[in-house]
Amino acid sequence: DAQPVPSGAKKRSYRSSRSSKQQNTFRKFLSPGGCIVLVGRNRRDNEAICFQVARGDDIWFHSRGCPGAHVLLQVRRGSPRPTDECIQFAANLAAFYSDARTERKAPITTASSKHIQKPRGAPLGAVKVREELSTVIGFPTDVDDELKEARERSGVIWDESGSRSLGGKAKNRKKTKENTKQSMAKKRAEKKAKRKSKQNGPDDTSDFW
């Protein structure tokens, strides 16, 4: 006869199964200068990148004005220092793994990981940038061909001007561009209003990502 499984064993099995489901699934790349670059696949990854993996000197990237993956360029003691090529490499990935991937180029916000904050009550993966470093132009078509081929298999054909959709899976290029412009204009207006409302002291608030 089959023997009953002790209740403790059931609990251990359940916890093990649950923890395995919550394991991070980052995409991991090596930049031209030898730096590790992590790209989130989902909200849980994005949250972990910002608040579990990131360290003080790491650089965070995100496509401005549209949804996208959180990208982290790791800058650690003993590891190679990031070059301009490394920065561009990470910016291209941030553009490619965002709704701006059908554009020729896209503005990418960068920030030191120590300036990434979690707003109270914000959903999983949402962050606030306290202080930006700079805006880098990302070129989604400059990523490795293997990444484009993987995207093609999922329903997108790449060409020199960006991409064309198969089966309606890719977002409309013109609509994405218009939405990005509208979102950027709204963010600029919000920042201007915040600056006017401040009488003194540094502006420690920024956009949600």
Side-chain angles (χ1 to χ4, degrees):
D1 294 340
Q3 297 296 320
V5 179
S7 58
K10 288 183 178 180
K11 291 181 179 179
R12 285 194 297 272
S13 176
Y14 170 75
R15 283 196 297 268
S16 176
S17 175
R18 182 173 60 179
S19 62
S20 64
K21 290 181 180 179
Q22 295 180 352
Q23 287 180 352
N24 300 322
T25 58
F26 309 137
R27 294 180 175 92
K28 187 175 181 180
F29 301 92
L30 194 65
S31 74
C35 297
I36 294 175
V37 180
L38 302 179
V39 180
R41 292 178 182 267
N42 49 50
R43 292 183 180 182
R44 188 180 301 281
D45 278 0
N46 291 338
E47 184 89 1
I49 279 177
C50 294
F51 304 114
Q52 295 178 17
V53 179
R55 297 294 181 267
D57 291 332
D58 293 349
I59 304 174
W60 175 89
F61 297 74
H62 193 285
S63 183
R64 181 183 290 276
C66 67
H70 292 224
V71 176
L72 188 72
L73 174 62
Q74 292 187 323
V75 185
R76 306 295 169 87
R77 182 179 299 177
S79 65
R81 304 302 298 179
T83 64
D84 290 344
E85 284 185 304
C86 297
I87 299 295
Q88 188 63 62
F89 178 83
N92 292 346
L93 288 173
F96 182 76
Y97 288 109
S98 78
D99 281 2
R101 60 180 166 266
T102 60
E103 304 296 332
R104 288 176 181 264
K105 58 184 180 180
I108 306 298
T109 295
T110 69
S112 172
S113 62
K114 62 186 177 183
H115 292 307
I116 304 300
Q117 299 178 333
K118 183 67 178 180
R120 181 176 297 178
L124 192 68
V127 303
K128 181 174 71 174
V129 181
R130 187 166 63 90
E131 182 180 324
E132 297 181 10
L133 284 175
S134 63
T135 298
V136 181
I137 300 302
F139 299 92
T141 56
D142 285 355
V143 300
D144 193 277
D145 287 341
E146 291 183 3
L147 302 181
K148 298 176 187 178
E149 291 169 3
R151 180 69 64 181
E152 180 181 338
R153 289 193 294 271
S154 68
V156 177
I157 292 179
W158 285 88
D159 58 23
E160 293 180 355
S161 64
S163 69
R164 297 172 181 169
S165 63
L166 281 175
K169 289 187 178 182
K171 291 185 178 296
N172 180 270
R173 185 174 185 269
K174 184 176 180 181
K175 184 176 180 180
T176 300
K177 187 174 183 179
E178 291 174 352
N179 289 342
T180 301
K181 286 184 177 179
Q182 292 175 2
S183 178
M184 291 177 66
K186 182 179 179 182
K187 291 178 184 297
R188 285 194 295 267
E190 290 174 350
K191 285 185 177 181
K192 186 176 181 180
K194 288 177 182 178
R195 285 196 296 268
K196 285 185 177 181
S197 66
K198 294 280 186 180
Q199 297 300 322
N200 49 49
D203 183 5
D204 64 349
T205 59
S206 186
D207 304 315
F208 289 79
W209 302 86

